[in-house]
Amino acid sequence: QLWVPRGFAHGYLVMEDDTIFSYKCDNFYHQPAEGGIRYDDPAIGIEWPLSHITPLVSERDKALGTLDSLVL
């Protein structure tokens, strides 16, 4: 289980088959407040250990922009 404070970017990679992953939110889902950054954004530089797997990424997450594309 993972808890992430409100407003923090986060991501996770499950490394074992048949894993159940849960996360908690501090409020009800509110789509207008939703946002994110692509997991594979080269500007962030996370070296995900993906050499032996193809990640399963939701359509919503595939459509996310890069950190550079955010308007702050």
Side-chain angles (χ1 to χ4, degrees):
Q1 191 172 48
L2 179 69
W3 177 77
V4 180
R6 185 185 302 196
F8 277 59
H10 59 281
Y12 59 91
L13 172 64
V14 175
M15 303 289 289
E16 297 289 332
D17 292 337
D18 301 319
T19 299
I20 297 173
F21 184 87
S22 299
Y23 62 94
K24 292 196 161 268
C25 300
D26 68 353
N27 213 329
F28 293 102
Y29 177 70
H30 182 64
Q31 186 180 17
E34 185 175 67
I37 306 164
R38 286 189 58 91
Y39 80 95
D40 58 352
D41 182 351
I44 298 173
I46 297 173
E47 295 182 21
W48 297 99
L50 301 176
S51 60
H52 64 287
I53 62 169
T54 301
L56 177 61
V57 180
S58 70
E59 292 302 316
R60 179 189 64 124
D61 287 353
K62 287 178 186 176
L64 293 172
T66 62
L67 187 60
D68 292 337
S69 72
L70 293 177
V71 178
L72 300 175

